[in-house]
Amino acid sequence: MNLVRELEISLKEKLIKGKVLILLGQRRVGKTVLLKKLLDQTNEKYLLFNGEDISVQELLSRRSVQHYQNIIGDNSILAIDEAQNIKEIGSILKLIVDSFLDLKIIVTGSSGFNLTEKTSEPLTGRKNQLFLFPFTEYEFLQIEKPNVRFDKMKDRLVFGSMPELVNLQNSKQKADYLRLLVDSYLIKDILSFEALRNSSKILYLLKLIAYQIGKDVSLSELGSQLSMSKNTIERYLDLLSKVFVVYRHYGFSKNLRKEVVKNQRWYFYDNGILNAIIANFNPLEMRNDIGQLWENFMISERMKRQAYDGFITNNYYWRTYDKQEIDLIEERGGKLYAYEFKWKEQKTKIPEAWKKSYQDSEFKQINSNNYSEWLKPNIN
């Protein structure tokens, strides 16, 4: 399968001299494949290291310009896969980028723990950063015939859009793959940080979040259910967001008395991970949570679209105490765009409180009939 990822052009454009290009993303979204494809297509000489290799960690640990000169030689590109595993990677990259002005550097990372936090200060003004996500619906257009596209999309509402699923033949293989991904990679990433050991609590927390898609989440209530403090819950959720499992939206408000803003809503980057957490891979016809699956799927697809198209956007949900609500609010370019998600097309009225307070905003229902236009590149 020779599927072109949407990020390929941006990757080539941002791999420049004098900057470190950081490619981040959840495990198994295709970072290594994309990196190797980029290197295979270049005419320049390059070095490729795997940051999970202990010998590579030892090789790069000696911070000396002459030492790095001996390693780099006459290569034009230095590439490090899974660079977050290398101790003090930020300082190492800073020395290299400052000392070898004609060198192009690209590194990948499966978590935002070390790679983002440990490179933020050392690489201030010296880096570009891109995020790679599971496949987008637009990317699937390359390999799916129009007559099967809708059924394939329904399948992704259950199993998600991780690249390796494309090569699996049946539902059991897909479910087994996703369970392994959660158990062996995602949870492992979290537990490896700051010596965390409570995997059962983390899985339970994820399960509680999964059952509250599209609903307000109270950290205090989660803490009560898990017998943990609110601060610990917040820390765990922060860790989960840094390995690209979940992300949050806050409530939108212009300080109107009736607007709810103190809680949050959480979404999964991928529906397959969501369903693996709740151990439910039943087809849509047997589900009573199609509304939540659709909302999570559409919002996660929109997050990909925003990132790949370079939208400068603030994302929120909106709700009032008298239960008027809107699923997604985008604030961009000085304007508000409101979106409501319905699996089946139906008449949807703009909430009166929203209509009255934000008269210049745009409102649109996104359903299974019109979603594809909304997710095309460079479409508002």
Side-chain angles (χ1 to χ4, degrees), residues 131-300:
F131 291 86
L132 183 65
F133 300 95
F135 282 163
T136 66
E137 284 299 290
Y138 185 73
E139 286 171 333
F140 279 116
L141 292 178
Q142 301 173 50
I143 59 174
E144 292 178 353
K145 296 180 180 179
N147 61 313
V148 301
R149 194 167 296 149
F150 183 73
D151 287 335
K152 293 285 188 179
M153 182 273 290
K154 287 172 61 179
D155 188 67
R156 288 190 284 276
L157 283 173
V158 177
F159 294 104
S161 307
M162 298 299 285
E164 289 172 270
L165 292 174
V166 173
N167 300 315
L168 302 182
Q169 302 302 313
N170 56 56
S171 297
K172 184 180 184 307
Q173 290 179 350
K174 294 177 181 179
D176 289 344
Y177 169 79
L178 289 166
R179 290 193 193 98
L180 181 64
L181 181 62
V182 169
D183 294 340
S184 299
Y185 292 106
L186 302 185
I187 300 302
K188 179 182 176 181
D189 272 349
I190 300 162
L191 296 180
S192 67
F193 188 63
E194 293 188 4
L196 294 177
R197 291 292 177 265
N198 208 336
S199 61
S200 61
K201 291 276 188 174
I202 291 172
L203 284 170
Y204 192 18
L205 173 59
L206 280 171
K207 186 176 292 188
L208 291 175
I209 293 294
Y211 283 127
Q212 296 186 65
I213 297 296
K215 299 176 183 178
D216 288 18
V217 173
S218 166
L219 300 188
S220 297
E221 290 180 9
L222 290 176
S224 178
Q225 289 175 284
L226 290 165
S227 299
M228 300 168 70
S229 71
K230 177 183 175 181
N231 289 341
T232 300
I233 292 294
E234 191 161 21
R235 178 166 170 263
Y236 275 24
L237 286 172
D238 184 54
L239 299 183
L240 288 163
S241 68
K242 287 177 178 175
V243 290
F244 314 111
V245 179
V246 293
Y247 57 94
R248 88 184 81 192
H249 284 175
Y250 291 102
F252 178 83
S253 175
K254 291 294 185 181
N255 295 318
L256 304 180
R257 285 194 309 167
K258 291 185 177 181
E259 291 176 324
V260 179
V261 294
K262 65 179 181 179
N263 291 331
Q264 312 162 10
R265 290 188 180 180
W266 285 85
Y267 298 92
F268 284 75
Y269 278 103
D270 186 75
N271 272 41
I273 302 300
L274 186 161
N275 284 314
I277 294 294
I278 63 175
N280 187 352
F281 293 107
N282 288 334
L284 295 185
E285 292 75 17
M286 299 174 60
R287 304 290 289 259
N288 59 9
D289 58 351
I290 180 62
Q292 289 82 4
L293 292 178
W294 179 246
E295 181 174 340
N296 191 87
F297 187 65
M298 281 295 98
I299 292 181
S300 63

Side-chain angles (χ1 to χ4, degrees), residues 35 52 61 65 139 143 206 208 224 243 279 316 333 345 349 377:
L35 175 61
E52 293 182 317
S61 65
V65 174
E139 286 171 333
I143 59 174
L206 280 171
L208 291 175
S224 178
V243 290
Y316 307 93
E345 184 176 2
K349 292 184 178 180

